[in-house]
């Protein structure tokens, strides 16, 4: 009899390690997360909230479990996005978020731009809308931020253009690509770094670095175009070569005729 | 002139060579000049091959990169490689035409059997050169070629010797490079010398007793050579070949070999394994046997059948 009771108790107790268990009660959140990048990447509830034991529909809080609070979101995100939260940490935005003083304008943690359960990659225009909630449009902060996003978008575009050209030219004869490939690699690395660094809201640095990388990528693209154009002119070599051969042929032909 | 002449005797040698070359020839001197064109391409291959060897690195790791570097970075490297690749195609084509012409005029008949056999050996060496040359860039075609060669040698239990170990790698590349850049040119020099010496001994068929002075070989050969140069320059400058991505072992089932190997490729698809290798020895046996088939009609019949089958297999291989 006691064995049977124990089995029943074990059955009643569930372990929330999969989303199925969570969704039974938290259906709204399930709907919110459905289209998030986390859902697409198969990252479920427990990745952020931890696991817990549930008994009769109640959290027992015996395992590693956390209902995320605004104050601590950055550190929750940092479990996976460590470099981003490290860049975010020294910013004024992080400072406000950590205080969590109830002021709506101070809710400036990760979720402010990326959403809460509906986590999305922040798009330029959506972020700018968020920025305008606190920063007036012609203000210094707003303009700097906008320019930084513009610079990054421009860099992305320039790198894509350069990368496309490099792929098309890969293995083609007569056009050196090693130096421009190296510039492309450096640009891609710098792009990745800047995407992280922009979370620190040090937009002056982001703008200057993005502009420099953009210029370098554009320069590399132009260099390739010049090399392609120059290599295209190689058929001009045919003029002296074929001319000389024709001359020799003429000499051979007429001398042969006179001696025959 | 006097000083050099006294020491080298080059002038007298040149005169005797000129007299030999200006001997009357059978009516169609243009056809005979195919041999001069083939010789010209062989010399081009040696010169450009020597230049390519300066930068080529015979290593599994760096081989592909070094070809990539030759083609994209070294000044005029693309041109040298382009000439080498196009002259290889043209050389094999001209050698085959030269052989067909020799067969059509029954030039292999007594007492010229040895000349024909030297020619067959030359063709084999040229095919070896083409095959190994295709492996060296280590793109997908190259890696496939190395694998096919290793798989063949496995049939005769020679796989480890060809690979230079358990698997295709740097030791394989070293072997292929040594064959392509040392043994092939050495064999070519010896065999071409033998081939020409035999022609000089027996004179060209049908011209043993011809009198008269026209047309001279020098003029026909000169025109053919200039045409060959112009064609090579045009192809090499206008259509320089690039380098494919580095080859690997997993993804190369649909890669086709050089055009001259397409008949073998298709034959091996139909008859795989040891049986296929046996089938491949048949055309070689026929080429060697031709001078010893006494009835001309039998030789023509067999050779024509073999040629038609080879072309059909080649076309099939190219289209499949």
């Amino acid at each position: 009899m006691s064995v049977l009771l124990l089995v029943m108790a074990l059955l009643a107790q569930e372990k929330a390690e999969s989303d199925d268990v969570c969704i039974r009660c938290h259906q709204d959140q399930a709907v919110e997360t459905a289209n998030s990048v986390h859902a697409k990447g198969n990252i479920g509830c427990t990745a952020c909230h931890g696991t817990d034991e549930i008994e009769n529909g109640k959290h027992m809080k015996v395992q590693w479990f956390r209902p995320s609070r605004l104050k601590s979101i950055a550190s929750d995100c940092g479990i996976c996005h460590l470099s981003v939260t490290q860049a975010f940490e020294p910013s004024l935005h992080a400072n406000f978020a950590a205080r969590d003083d109830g002021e709506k304008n101070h809710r400036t943690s990760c979720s402010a731009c990326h959403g809460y359960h509906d986590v999305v990659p922040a798009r330029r225009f959506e972020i700018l809308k968020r920025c305008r909630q606190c920063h007036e449009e012609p203000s210094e902060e707003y303009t700097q931020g906008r320019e930084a996003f513009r610079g990054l978008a421009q860099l992305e575009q320039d790198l894509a253009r350069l990368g496309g050209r490099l792929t098309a030219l890969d293995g083609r004869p007569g056009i050196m690509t090693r130096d421009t490939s190296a510039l492309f690699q450096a640009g891609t690395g710098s792009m990745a770094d800047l995407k992280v660094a922009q979370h620190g809201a040090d937009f002056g640095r982001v703008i200057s670095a993005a502009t420099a990388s953009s210029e370098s990528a554009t320069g590399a693209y132009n260099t390739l175009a010049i090399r392609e154009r120059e290599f295209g002119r190689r058929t001009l070599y045919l003029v002296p070569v074929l001319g000389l051969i024709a001359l020799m042929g003429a000499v051979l032909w007429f001398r042969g005729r006179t001696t025959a | 002139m006097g000083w050099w002449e006294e020491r080298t005797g080059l002038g007298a040698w040149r005169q005797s060579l000129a007299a030999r070359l200006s001997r009357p020839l059978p009516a169609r001197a243009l056809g005979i000049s195919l041999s001069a064109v083939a010789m010209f391409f062989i010399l081009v291959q040696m010169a450009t091959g020597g230049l390519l060897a300066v930068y080529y690195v015979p290593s599994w790791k760096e081989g592909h990169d070094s070809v990539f570097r030759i083609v994209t970075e070294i000044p005029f490297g693309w041109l040298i490689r382009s000439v080498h690749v196009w002259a290889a195609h043209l050389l094999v084509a001209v050698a085959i035409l030269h052989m067909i012409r020799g067969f059509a005029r029954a030039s292999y008949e007594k007492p010229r059997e040895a000349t024909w056999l030297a020619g067959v050996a030359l063709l084999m060496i040229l095919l070896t050169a083409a095959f190994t040359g295709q492996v060296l860039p280590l793109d997908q075609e190259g890696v496939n070629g190395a694998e096919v060669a290793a798989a063949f040698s496995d049939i005769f239990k020679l796989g480890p010797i060809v690979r230079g170990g358990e698997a295709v790698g740097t030791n394989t590349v070293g072997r292929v490079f040594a064959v392509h850049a040392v043994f092939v040119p050495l064999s070519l020099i010896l065999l071409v010398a033998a081939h020409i010496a035999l022609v000089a001994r027996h004179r060209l068929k049908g011209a043993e007793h011809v009198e008269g002075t026209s047309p001279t070989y020098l003029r026909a050969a000169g025109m053919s050579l200039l045409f060959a140069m112009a064609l090579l320059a045009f192809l090499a400058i206008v259509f320089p070949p690039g380098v494919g991505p580095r080859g690997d072992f997993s993804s190369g089932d649909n890669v086709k070999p050089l055009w001259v190997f397409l008949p073998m490729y298709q034959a091996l698809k139909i008859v795989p394994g040891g049986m296929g290798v046996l089938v491949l020895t048949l055309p070689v046996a026929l080429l060697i046997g031709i001078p010893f088939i006494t009835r001309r009609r039998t030789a023509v019949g067999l050779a024509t059948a073999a040629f038609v089958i080879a072309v059909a297999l080649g076309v099939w291989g190219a289209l499949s």
Side-chain angles (χ1 to χ4, degrees):
Chain A
M1 191 67 186
S2 58
V3 173
L4 190 66
L5 275 175
L6 186 65
V7 171
M8 280 176 74
L10 280 173
L11 282 175
Q13 185 184 337
E14 288 179 286
K15 210 169 179 184
E17 275 181 349
S18 77
D19 289 5
D20 298 345
V21 179
C22 311
I23 287 169
R24 275 180 218 160
C25 305
H26 304 283
Q27 277 148 7
D28 290 354
Q29 284 81 350
V31 173
E32 280 171 31
T33 51
N35 289 321
S36 70
V37 281
H38 282 168
K40 280 173 198 153
N42 241 347
I43 294 158
C45 314
T46 56
C48 300
H49 295 292
T51 54
D52 197 8
E53 269 164 24
I54 317 286
E55 218 174 294
N56 299 325
K58 279 185 183 164
H59 278 274
M60 300 311 287
K61 300 189 181 173
V62 290
Q63 300 241 351
W64 179 74
F65 171 71
R66 259 185 337 238
S68 285
R69 301 273 174 251
L70 198 58
K71 243 173 155 173
S72 60
I73 280 184
S75 64
D76 291 351
C77 299
I79 296 169
C80 299
H81 306 279
L82 183 63
S83 58
V84 176
T85 46
Q86 276 175 346
F88 177 65
E89 218 58 65
S91 71
L92 209 55
H93 287 156
N95 194 3
F96 284 138
R99 270 191 259 153
D100 193 19
D101 52 10
E103 174 67 47
K104 203 182 165 199
N105 282 357
H106 288 174
R107 295 190 165 172
T108 48
S109 196
C110 310
S111 53
C113 295
H114 295 284
Y116 190 63
H117 282 120
D118 53 339
V119 182
V120 285
R123 304 246 174 263
R124 177 154 57 125
F125 298 108
E126 287 161 20
I127 298 182
L128 286 174
K129 226 185 279 173
R130 300 279 184 140
C131 300
R132 284 198 294 270
Q133 287 179 0
C134 307
H135 302 283
E136 303 229 333
E137 190 154 351
S139 71
E140 173 75 11
E141 293 92 346
Y142 180 81
T143 322
Q144 285 257 307
R146 192 186 57 196
E147 287 312 304
F149 298 142
R150 259 187 205 163
L152 281 175
Q154 183 63 44
L155 175 57
E156 195 154 25
Q157 204 180 322
D158 290 341
L159 282 172
R161 191 174 66 147
L162 176 61
R165 208 63 222 124
L166 281 169
T167 310
L169 289 174
D170 189 44
R172 283 249 301 267
I175 298 159
M176 213 231 292
T177 51
R178 195 165 52 134
D179 49 354
T180 44
S181 272
L183 288 174
F184 175 71
Q185 299 296 341
T188 312
S190 143
M191 176 84 200
D193 288 347
L194 288 175
K195 277 192 161 174
V196 171
Q198 64 170 331
H199 291 93
D202 181 1
F203 292 125
R205 194 174 79 79
V206 173
I207 291 168
S208 61
T211 311
S213 289
S214 244
E215 274 168 12
S216 155
T218 309
Y221 181 85
N222 291 339
T223 306
L224 283 178
I226 291 168
R227 283 181 191 157
E228 273 188 88
R229 208 164 43 236
E230 277 174 2
F231 190 63
R233 291 200 202 105
R234 71 189 180 281
T235 41
L236 288 178
Y237 299 148
L238 280 173
V239 176
V241 172
L242 293 184
L244 194 66
I245 291 173
L247 187 70
M248 288 195 284
V251 169
L252 195 65
W253 181 258
F254 289 111
R255 274 197 61 187
R257 272 237 297 236
T258 47
T259 51
Chain B
M1 187 69 190
W3 192 90
W4 280 110
E5 189 54 38
E6 200 181 328
R7 274 144 193 92
T8 62
L10 272 180
W13 188 79
R14 188 180 150 272
Q15 269 170 13
S16 99
L17 185 73
R20 215 168 250 269
L21 288 173
S22 319
R23 274 171 179 174
L25 292 173
R28 293 172 195 277
L30 209 61
I32 298 168
S33 67
L34 279 172
S35 55
V37 174
M39 191 63 226
F40 164 70
F41 285 137
I42 288 177
L43 293 176
V44 166
Q45 291 307 70
M46 288 183 177
T48 51
L51 290 174
L52 290 174
V54 171
Y55 286 107
Y56 181 73
V57 182
S59 130
W60 181 250
K61 249 170 100 177
E62 294 162 60
H64 181 264
D65 283 353
S66 69
V67 176
F68 193 90
R69 196 164 151 247
I70 289 170
V71 167
T72 59
E73 279 178 51
I74 310 294
F76 292 101
W78 64 270
L79 183 60
I80 302 295
R81 175 157 183 269
S82 183
V83 169
H84 197 72
V85 169
W86 278 113
H89 286 291
L90 294 172
L91 172 55
V92 172
V94 166
I96 290 172
L97 286 177
H98 179 53
M99 192 164 231
I100 289 173
R101 188 185 169 282
F103 179 80
R105 297 181 69 87
S107 299
Y108 54 82
E109 283 174 350
K110 190 186 165 188
R112 297 186 178 79
E113 292 95 332
T115 318
W116 173 269
L117 291 179
V120 173
L122 273 169
L123 184 69
M124 294 303 131
I125 295 295
L126 290 182
L127 292 181
T128 308
F131 188 84
T132 50
Q134 206 188 8
V135 169
L136 290 177
L138 297 176
D139 50 6
Q140 197 57 57
E141 285 158 44
V143 171
N144 270 34
E147 285 208 299
V148 168
F152 275 151
S153 34
D154 272 336
I155 295 168
F156 307 102
K157 309 274 174 225
L158 294 173
I161 296 175
V162 170
R163 291 188 184 92
E166 291 289 300
V168 169
T170 288
N171 284 344
T172 324
V173 181
R175 280 158 169 71
V176 172
F177 184 65
V179 168
H180 187 83
V182 179
F183 294 109
V184 160
L186 280 180
S187 316
L188 281 180
I189 291 169
L190 292 175
L191 285 168
V192 166
H195 196 63
I196 292 178
L198 286 166
V199 171
R201 177 181 167 84
H202 299 297
R203 298 197 57 186
L204 285 165
K205 177 156 174 133
E208 296 92 337
H209 311 292
V210 176
E211 298 292 331
T213 53
S214 178
T216 56
Y217 183 61
L218 279 178
R219 189 172 162 215
M223 283 317 228
S224 303
L225 281 178
L226 290 176
F227 176 74
M229 277 181 210
L231 182 65
L232 179 59
F234 175 78
L235 291 172
I237 291 174
V238 180
F239 306 108
V243 202
R246 220 197 123 86
D248 55 48
F249 292 125
S250 52
S251 60
D253 290 342
N254 294 318
V255 176
K256 283 175 189 171
L258 202 67
W259 58 271
V260 73
F261 297 113
L262 281 172
M264 302 183 199
Y265 164 81
Q266 190 59 31
L268 284 170
K269 272 210 307 203
I270 300 167
V271 194
M275 213 40 209
V277 177
L278 210 66
V279 170
L280 290 190
T281 59
L282 291 179
V284 182
L286 178 63
L287 282 177
I288 295 171
I290 275 177
F292 308 105
I293 300 171
T294 41
R295 276 187 67 214
R296 171 76 177 154
R297 286 179 68 180
T298 314
V300 171
L302 280 173
T304 311
F307 186 73
V308 169
I309 291 171
V311 171
L313 281 173
V315 172
W316 186 3
L319 298 179
S320 65

